[in-house]
Amino acid sequence: MKKILLTWANGMLATDFVDRHKNDFEIFSYDKNTLDIMDIESIENKVKEIHPDIILNCAAYTAVDDAEDIWKLLNYHINTLGVYNLAKISNTYAIDFITFSTDYVFDGKKESWYNENDICNPINEYGMSKYLWEIFALKENKNAIIVRTSWLYGWWKEFKNFVNTILRLSETKSELKVINEQFWNPTYTVDLSLAVSQVIKNIEKYRGSIFHFSNETENNDISWFDFACEIITMQEKNTKIIPCQISEYQTKAQRPNFSKLINDSDIKLRNWKEWLKDYLDNL
Ligand SMILES: NC(=O)c1ccc[n+]([C@@H]2O[C@H](COP(=O)([O-])OP(=O)(O)OC[C@H]3O[C@@H](n4cnc5c(N)ncnc54)[C@H](OP(=O)(O)O)[C@@H]3O)[C@@H](O)[C@H]2O)c1
């Protein structure tokens, strides 16, 4: 059974990965208090203790808006030094390394969907830090595997994600305004975990690859508004969802208007509506 050293075991993605794959892999998972990815010595000590086959890094700085101002330096610090440390140690000890990036490495100005080889041009600080993250990962470990994903929502109710927010607001609001001008693919962390487990099981084949893993939306473009409407319909709530423009809902970070990810690999994720139903049925 493959041994996995998993960073940030309490994050949304990591929680689902452990939950789904605890019988498939021997997983040693650590939160920020037991393994800080900015501390290279701690990483090396854990590697010497566990002898993992794979480092699966789910830790990151992820607060997109605060990365614009109050946590700008922390964002760069974690998302560059952290990934550098993990990539360096994994290379030194010949361990496979998988780490996650984002659709925010793109500027959203391409007139169609993004594939793995498209040119990055981030338009916010978090996106820039994740672009540097990819460069550090591949520079320090040419076998590093980068999984770009987008718009995660996960199993556990307590996590802050778009689906949980819409459900919470629908308890008290009769109307909700939701942006209808930004388009990307939602991704259920359970399906993402299943795809990552496929990578791990055949890792020899995928070293040095960049993947685009998010739920399939076929030829449709899905906006925040479309996603909110689907959540409300599936849950048979009465809240009216009203489409609005970006200018009505200003955030500190600019986001790409169109960053749908195309997955050209042989590992496929399922349709977004199927997984949304699965998530809502199990809440
Ligand atoms: N969520 C999305 O919509 C989305 C979209 C595209 C890509 N991604 C990427 O997918 C990956 C997983 O995302 P997620 O949503 O599961 O993230 P998450 O729930 O925010 O988990 C990441 C965790 O890493 C922890 N962390 C921060 N600094 C650390 C350090 N120095 N050492 C160890 N842990 C540290 C953070 O802890 P604290 O909160 O305590 O600081 C955070 O809880 C990330 O790489 C993210 O960039 C996410």
Side-chain angles (χ1 to χ4, degrees):
M1 198 183 267
K2 282 189 171 145
K3 272 191 202 173
I4 299 178
L5 189 163
L6 179 74
T7 60
W8 193 251
N10 296 332
M12 184 163 65
L13 175 59
T15 305
D16 269 334
F17 186 87
V18 174
D19 189 54
R20 292 286 159 146
H21 298 293
K22 51 183 177 287
N23 298 325
D24 301 328
F25 308 113
E26 200 178 346
I27 303 174
F28 297 82
S29 53
Y30 299 97
D31 64 18
K32 197 162 69 175
N33 299 323
T34 48
L35 185 59
D36 183 339
I37 63 168
M38 294 204 278
D39 179 353
I40 196 164
E41 259 182 53
S42 305
I43 301 168
E44 187 162 23
N45 289 339
K46 286 281 184 259
V47 162
K48 284 181 180 165
E49 186 188 318
I50 293 162
H51 302 290
D53 300 297
I54 295 156
I55 295 178
L56 179 61
N57 175 39
C58 294
Y61 175 92
T62 58
V64 178
D65 287 303
D66 288 340
E68 293 297 305
D69 47 30
I70 51 171
W71 295 123
K72 186 169 174 170
L73 288 183
L74 186 69
N75 163 53
Y76 281 106
H77 203 167
I78 296 174
N79 288 352
T80 55
L81 183 60
V83 82
Y84 167 87
N85 288 341
L86 293 164
K88 192 168 178 64
I89 294 293
S90 59
N91 188 53
T92 306
Y93 290 86
I95 300 164
D96 282 305
F97 178 46
I98 303 177
T99 192
F100 296 88
S101 186
T102 166
D103 55 323
Y104 288 1
V105 295
F106 298 117
D107 61 17
K109 295 186 178 125
K110 188 181 171 190
E111 302 223 325
S112 66
W113 307 327
Y114 284 91
N115 66 38
E116 293 83 349
N117 300 319
D118 275 318
I119 292 175
C120 297
N121 184 30
I123 56 171
N124 61 40
E125 302 289 350
Y126 167 76
M128 181 58 84
S129 75
K130 291 298 256 187
Y131 171 63
L132 295 172
W133 161 294
E134 294 186 5
I135 291 176
F136 277 117
L138 287 168
K139 182 167 183 316
E140 289 306 314
N141 184 344
K142 64 177 179 8
N143 290 326
I145 295 169
I146 291 172
V147 177
R148 292 190 189 128
T149 185
S150 58
W151 206 358
L152 295 184
Y153 65 97
W155 195 263
W156 306 101
K157 267 189 191 159
E158 64 265 30
F159 281 114
K160 202 174 159 211
N161 64 51
F162 184 73
V163 183
N164 293 351
T165 302
I166 293 295
L167 289 177
R168 181 172 44 78
L169 293 174
S170 71
E171 296 297 326
T172 53
K173 308 247 181 215
S174 57
E175 286 187 356
L176 274 180
K177 280 189 171 183
V178 183
I179 294 175
N180 195 25
E181 288 185 323
Q182 284 166 334
F183 301 88
W184 44 63
N185 337 37
T187 310
Y188 184 25
T189 47
V190 168
D191 201 18
L192 178 58
S193 297
L194 291 171
V196 170
S197 75
Q198 292 305 308
V199 173
I200 293 172
K201 285 174 185 162
N202 297 290
I203 203 142
E204 300 75 19
K205 189 171 151 189
Y206 296 122
R207 289 184 179 125
S209 301
I210 295 181
F211 288 98
H212 278 185
F213 283 166
S214 52
N215 283 132
E216 186 53 63
T217 59
E218 281 101 36
N219 293 325
N220 301 315
D221 299 334
I222 310 298
S223 68
W224 298 98
F225 167 77
D226 299 318
F227 197 37
C229 289
E230 200 61 42
I231 296 163
I232 293 294
T233 306
M234 280 189 186
Q235 288 300 84
E236 296 177 357
K237 301 271 184 193
N238 294 323
T239 306
K240 188 174 177 200
I241 306 294
I242 300 165
C244 77
Q245 298 179 326
I246 297 166
S247 56
E248 292 177 71
Y249 194 89
Q250 286 296 347
T251 52
K252 289 192 275 187
Q254 197 190 346
R255 286 162 168 79
N257 283 347
F258 199 99
S259 54
K260 177 169 163 166
L261 300 175
I262 292 295
N263 173 10
D264 286 328
S265 83
D266 54 352
I267 299 171
K268 299 295 176 202
L269 281 80
R270 273 168 44 188
N271 179 276
W272 67 286
K273 283 192 192 178
E274 280 176 48
W275 275 119
L276 178 61
K277 185 163 181 343
D278 184 280
Y279 179 73
L280 295 173
D281 285 350
N282 284 291
L283 272 181

